[in-house]
Short mmCIF file of all heavy atoms in Angstrom, two decimals:
data_model
loop_
_atom_site.label_atom_id
_atom_site.label_comp_id
_atom_site.label_asym_id
_atom_site.label_seq_id
_atom_site.Cartn_x
_atom_site.Cartn_y
_atom_site.Cartn_z
N THR A 377 8.63 17.97 -24.22
CA THR A 377 8.87 19.22 -24.93
C THR A 377 9.26 18.89 -26.36
O THR A 377 9.28 17.72 -26.76
CB THR A 377 9.97 20.04 -24.23
OG1 THR A 377 10.05 21.34 -24.83
CG2 THR A 377 11.33 19.35 -24.34
N LEU A 378 9.57 19.92 -27.15
CA LEU A 378 9.99 19.75 -28.53
C LEU A 378 11.43 20.21 -28.69
O LEU A 378 11.87 21.14 -28.02
CB LEU A 378 9.07 20.55 -29.47
CG LEU A 378 7.58 20.22 -29.39
CD1 LEU A 378 6.79 21.12 -30.34
CD2 LEU A 378 7.32 18.76 -29.71
N ALA A 379 12.16 19.58 -29.58
CA ALA A 379 13.58 19.88 -29.77
C ALA A 379 13.76 21.18 -30.53
O ALA A 379 13.22 21.36 -31.63
CB ALA A 379 14.25 18.73 -30.51
N GLY A 380 14.54 22.10 -29.93
CA GLY A 380 14.94 23.30 -30.63
C GLY A 380 16.12 23.00 -31.55
O GLY A 380 16.66 21.89 -31.54
N PRO A 381 16.56 23.98 -32.34
CA PRO A 381 17.63 23.73 -33.32
C PRO A 381 18.92 23.16 -32.72
O PRO A 381 19.47 22.19 -33.25
CB PRO A 381 17.86 25.12 -33.94
CG PRO A 381 16.56 25.83 -33.77
CD PRO A 381 16.02 25.35 -32.45
N GLU A 382 19.42 23.75 -31.63
CA GLU A 382 20.69 23.30 -31.07
C GLU A 382 20.57 21.90 -30.47
O GLU A 382 21.45 21.04 -30.68
CB GLU A 382 21.20 24.29 -30.03
CG GLU A 382 21.58 25.64 -30.60
CD GLU A 382 22.14 26.58 -29.54
OE1 GLU A 382 22.22 26.16 -28.36
OE2 GLU A 382 22.49 27.71 -29.89
N VAL A 383 19.51 21.66 -29.72
CA VAL A 383 19.31 20.35 -29.11
C VAL A 383 19.07 19.30 -30.19
O VAL A 383 19.58 18.18 -30.11
CB VAL A 383 18.14 20.38 -28.11
CG1 VAL A 383 17.81 18.98 -27.61
CG2 VAL A 383 18.49 21.29 -26.93
N ALA A 384 18.30 19.64 -31.22
CA ALA A 384 18.03 18.70 -32.31
C ALA A 384 19.33 18.26 -32.98
O ALA A 384 19.52 17.08 -33.27
CB ALA A 384 17.10 19.34 -33.32
N GLN A 385 20.22 19.20 -33.18
CA GLN A 385 21.51 18.86 -33.80
C GLN A 385 22.32 17.95 -32.89
O GLN A 385 22.93 16.97 -33.34
CB GLN A 385 22.29 20.13 -34.12
CG GLN A 385 23.64 19.86 -34.79
CD GLN A 385 24.39 21.14 -35.13
OE1 GLN A 385 24.00 22.24 -34.71
NE2 GLN A 385 25.45 21.03 -35.90
N ALA A 386 22.35 18.26 -31.60
CA ALA A 386 23.15 17.47 -30.66
C ALA A 386 22.61 16.06 -30.50
O ALA A 386 23.39 15.11 -30.35
CB ALA A 386 23.19 18.17 -29.30
N LEU A 387 21.29 15.90 -30.54
CA LEU A 387 20.67 14.58 -30.34
C LEU A 387 20.38 13.86 -31.65
O LEU A 387 19.84 12.75 -31.64
CB LEU A 387 19.38 14.71 -29.53
CG LEU A 387 19.55 15.12 -28.07
CD1 LEU A 387 18.19 15.21 -27.37
CD2 LEU A 387 20.45 14.14 -27.32
N GLN A 388 20.71 14.51 -32.77
CA GLN A 388 20.51 13.91 -34.09
C GLN A 388 19.04 13.57 -34.35
O GLN A 388 18.70 12.46 -34.76
CB GLN A 388 21.40 12.67 -34.26
CG GLN A 388 22.88 12.98 -34.19
CD GLN A 388 23.76 11.74 -34.28
OE1 GLN A 388 23.29 10.64 -34.56
NE2 GLN A 388 25.07 11.90 -34.06
N VAL A 389 18.20 14.55 -34.05
CA VAL A 389 16.77 14.43 -34.36
C VAL A 389 16.36 15.66 -35.15
O VAL A 389 17.11 16.63 -35.26
CB VAL A 389 15.92 14.31 -33.08
CG1 VAL A 389 16.27 13.05 -32.31
CG2 VAL A 389 16.08 15.55 -32.19
N GLU A 390 15.16 15.63 -35.68
CA GLU A 390 14.66 16.77 -36.42
C GLU A 390 14.20 17.88 -35.47
O GLU A 390 13.78 17.60 -34.34
CB GLU A 390 13.49 16.36 -37.32
CG GLU A 390 13.90 15.42 -38.44
CD GLU A 390 12.76 15.12 -39.38
OE1 GLU A 390 11.63 15.60 -39.10
OE2 GLU A 390 12.97 14.42 -40.38
N ILE A 391 14.28 19.12 -35.93
CA ILE A 391 13.75 20.23 -35.15
C ILE A 391 12.25 19.99 -34.92
O ILE A 391 11.52 19.66 -35.85
CB ILE A 391 13.96 21.56 -35.89
CG1 ILE A 391 15.46 21.86 -36.01
CG2 ILE A 391 13.25 22.71 -35.17
CD1 ILE A 391 15.77 23.09 -36.84
N GLY A 392 11.83 20.13 -33.68
CA GLY A 392 10.43 19.90 -33.34
C GLY A 392 10.13 18.47 -32.94
O GLY A 392 8.97 18.16 -32.62
#
Side-chain angles (χ1 to χ4, degrees):
T377 189
L378 303 178
E382 294 183 0
V383 172
Q385 181 178 10
L387 291 180
Q388 297 177 8
V389 297
E390 293 185 356
I391 295 174

